[in-house]
Structure formats: C-alpha cells, structure tokens
Amino acid sequence: MSNNNDSIDFDEWLNREAAEWDDASGGLKDLLRSIGQAAIQIYKEITGAGLAGMLGSEGRMNVQGEEVQKMDARANQIFIDTLQAAGVCAGIVSEENEHVVVFDDGKSLRSEYVFLMDPIDGSGNIDVNISIGSIFSIYRRLSSPGSRVAEQDFLQPGKNQVAAGYFLYGPTINWILATTNSVNAFTLSRPDNRFFLSFPHLKAPLRGPFYSFDNHNYNRVDQSIRNYVNYCMSDTQNTYGPYSNRYYGCMVADVHRNLLKGGIYFYPQTKDKPNGKLRICYECNPMAFIIEKAGGSATDGRQRILEIHPEHIHQRSPLFIGSREMVKELIAFGD
Ligand code: FBP
C-alpha cells in the first residue's frame, strides 16, 4: 500500500526488510508494530493534553530525582500496557521505573526480546508546546525464553542492540528507526494514522553548522569543553564556523536536526553531574546505535558509547554525539 506520494507504508517496508533479519519467529516485527501503535496513542494524548488537564507535574519525583510530569507517567503506561497486551517483549526498563518491569504472562515470557525506553525525552518542553520525543532500544534477551527476565538482560553493551529508534512529536510524528543494516525515517499520515517511509537509508553529514550544548553548564565543565565551545563560536579559529548554537532542551530534537543537517550534541560531565546527565541504557545507547548506523559517532569522551558495559540500569554517562568530523574535532580538544 502507498499514499499519494508513492512512499510505502510501514507494514510493507517491515515485511520487505524483515526478510533479511535474523528474526525467524517474527517477534521483532510484532514488537516494532506495537511500539508504533503506542507512539500514535501517545501523540494523540500529547496533542490533547492542554485541554485534558494532562499538563504539569504529578507532584512526585522519580528514581532520577526528577519531577515526574503527567505526560511522562502517561506515556510510560501506554508503552507498558501496549507491549504487555501484545505479548511482544519479556520485560521493560524505563526511565520512569526504578526496577525492571517483569512480564509473567505466557506470551510475553516466550518473547526473545527486551525493551528499554525513555518514554518522554525533553520533559521540560511538554508544558510549552515545544517538540518532545520518545527513545527506545531493543535487545535479544540473554536469559532463556519461557523464564522471567533478569536485570542482566538489560545491561548489555549497546553494540548488542538489534534495533533502536526515536519518535519526534511535532506537527506530525517522525519515527527514526535503526535496524541491523540501515536507518530509515517514517512520517505519520495523520488522516489514516499510518506511518509511511519518508527518508530511506539516512546518512549523517560528516559535519554541519550546528552545535547543541546548554550554556548553563559553561562554567561547570572541563576547560577542554569550554575551549571547544569557544572554538564553535569563533570567526577566526574555526575554518568551518562560527557554528550556530541550537539547543532545544530535547535531545531527540537536537540529535534529529543534527542527523539530517550535520551537527554535534554534547552533554559532558559537569561539577554537579560528574557522570553526565543522560542514561546509558535508554538514552545514550539507542541514540548512539542510530547515529553510528547513519555514519556518525557517539562517545563518552574516552570510548564508543556502544562499548560501555553498564553496571546498573539507570547509570549515566557523558555524551558527545553527531557528525563524525565534529565529534573528532571536539575530542581533539581533550588531548
Ligand atoms: P529527560 O529525559 O528527563 O527529559 O532528560 C533528558 C533531557 O531533557 C534531554 O532531552 C535534554 O537535552 C537535556 O535533558 C536537557 O537537560 P538540561 O536542562 O540540563 O540542559
């Protein structure tokens, strides 16, 4: 099936692409379909949140020590309920849940996949109608299908991911999905609530005009990072610059723009966040998997993000991610 501009719909793409995957059971296809359906439901509720009293805080803190927004909790529950009802994964790790969400119904137990997510990235933007996103990561479980998942299933290095993606909620939904051999972008056709392939085989430009850094941290980061920020802003030092600072307060939006147009996003370690802010398992790893599949780079300043072996499910890391040449130039400032 295709829409009026002859792009194919997600199901047709999935059936064609999955023929090359190691997914004999079809479980990964079913999981991806359910993820897409959850995102459509979340988008419906985001667009109606202002009129449904769903803006603002729930009045409690999560395990991250961050105030939980009503839409954080609602999006989290939609993903959990949708995936559990479909029996398409054996368990979930979420930014919003302190512990692993273990499924013990028959079909979920038999799934060979586990799912990790940041249900709403850019939570601070929810109340001001600025873009937000959802981020997810999928692994094959290490424990045997039929048994309950264990934390070890979720503490694999990011290079083990079988798929990763994000949804960017704006005038419509852009879904960026990285699988074993490519990164593809889908756009939601709102009249019929179906995703259509909009950018096949995305490739990240080697460099671009944008850097994404919160200047709020300028005096809290290492001198080498300050030197790089000064380089980004320089008319003289930087033969490609000065770069434009575009920082949305939503990593999904910043990484998405930089993926399409070229740029670098960085959230380093700071005096008050010595391990950085972003979480390895459900923010750094999925975004690193996507950007590397598209030809970009993602590092913690010392090693590839995808090589890190997380020790706990909410472990944080510094993150430098984007166009390959720009990540390289930033790292050179630390030498
Ligand atoms: P959340 O997932 O809790 O929203 O945190 C991630 C994030 O919002 C990123 O999307 C964004 O780039 C960063 O935090 C903003 O943090 P800060 O306000 O400290 O710059």
Side-chain angles (χ1 to χ4, degrees):
M1 287 292 287
S2 64
N3 65 353
N4 54 18
N5 68 4
D6 291 334
S7 63
I8 61 171
D9 76 0
F10 179 72
D11 264 337
E12 187 174 345
W13 175 87
L14 193 59
N15 289 328
R16 185 186 69 189
E17 203 74 12
E20 297 173 33
W21 296 348
D22 171 19
D23 178 42
S25 68
L28 181 56
K29 283 202 302 187
D30 294 341
L31 174 51
L32 290 171
R33 285 196 190 96
S34 294
I35 293 166
Q37 289 310 308
I40 291 170
Q41 181 57 33
I42 289 166
Y43 181 59
K44 275 183 191 165
E45 299 200 17
I46 288 171
T47 51
L51 299 175
M54 283 300 288
L55 298 180
S57 163
E58 273 219 328
R60 62 184 176 86
M61 309 297 269
N62 63 15
V63 64
Q64 320 288 342
E66 295 162 350
E67 199 172 16
V68 179
Q69 301 301 301
K70 291 176 185 173
M71 271 315 300
D72 283 324
R74 182 67 191 128
N76 193 51
Q77 203 56 53
I78 289 170
F79 272 118
I80 291 172
D81 293 349
T82 305
L83 271 56
Q84 179 163 26
V88 288
C89 67
I92 294 179
V93 154
S94 168
E95 176 180 314
E96 299 304 332
N97 291 71
E98 183 171 2
H99 305 295
V100 173
V101 179
V102 178
F103 295 151
D104 49 23
D105 61 283
K107 189 176 179 194
S108 300
L109 277 173
R110 290 192 298 275
S111 172
E112 56 187 305
Y113 298 104
V114 293
F115 178 81
L116 301 89
M117 65 169 166
D118 177 3
I120 294 290
D121 171 70
S123 304
N125 291 347
I126 296 172
D127 285 6
V128 293
N129 197 28
I130 293 177
S131 287
I132 53 180
S134 299
I135 309 171
F136 69 88
S137 171
I138 300 170
Y139 292 83
R140 270 195 188 77
R141 59 189 293 185
L142 301 175
S143 53
S144 309
S147 65
R148 288 160 62 93
V149 289
E151 195 163 74
Q152 292 314 315
D153 288 313
F154 301 90
L155 294 176
Q156 301 181 54
K159 63 187 176 186
N160 289 7
Q161 293 172 92
V162 294
Y166 61 79
F167 297 95
L168 179 57
Y169 305 108
T172 184
I173 306 180
N174 285 153
W175 180 6
I176 304 301
L177 175 61
T179 50
T180 38
N181 44 21
S182 65
V183 179
N184 294 279
F186 303 87
T187 299
L188 182 72
S189 165
R190 293 184 57 180
D192 48 5
N193 266 336
R194 282 162 55 210
F195 285 102
F196 285 87
L197 182 64
S198 43
F199 287 99
H201 300 290
L202 274 177
K203 290 294 175 201
L206 287 176
R207 58 173 49 257
F210 301 114
Y211 75 101
S212 306
F213 169 70
D214 186 347
N215 281 310
H216 154 87
N217 289 319
Y218 183 81
N219 292 309
R220 301 177 175 179
V221 295
D222 295 347
Q223 184 60 49
S224 63
I225 302 293
R226 275 199 292 280
N227 293 343
Y228 181 67
V229 173
N230 296 337
Y231 166 84
C232 288
M233 296 188 292
S234 168
D235 275 298
T236 52
Q237 266 190 54
N238 178 358
T239 48
Y240 300 96
Y243 301 144
S244 297
N245 187 10
R246 291 284 189 280
Y247 191 77
Y248 235 124
C250 171
M251 174 176 57
V252 165
D254 287 324
V255 171
H256 183 69
R257 181 200 48 252
N258 295 346
L259 170 60
L260 297 185
K261 296 185 182 297
I264 182 170
Y265 170 100
F266 46 110
Y267 205 114
Q269 61 274 25
T270 66
K271 287 174 188 160
D272 58 334
K273 297 184 178 71
N275 297 310
K277 174 179 183 181
L278 299 164
R279 281 62 46 146
I280 295 171
C281 290
Y282 41 79
E283 290 172 316
C284 299
N285 270 338
M287 299 309 264
F289 186 80
I290 294 162
I291 206 77
E292 283 204 4
K293 288 287 178 189
S297 298
T299 171
D300 66 356
R302 293 187 313 278
Q303 61 184 317
R304 283 171 70 213
I305 290 290
L306 298 183
E307 294 291 347
I308 298 173
H309 287 252
E311 291 172 10
H312 59 85
I313 57 176
H314 299 299
Q315 184 175 331
R316 298 173 191 261
S317 170
L319 176 64
F320 306 86
I321 185 170
S323 295
R324 181 175 295 279
E325 291 303 315
M326 298 175 83
V327 172
K328 198 185 295 181
E329 74 188 9
L330 185 154
I331 297 304
F333 275 77
D335 293 346

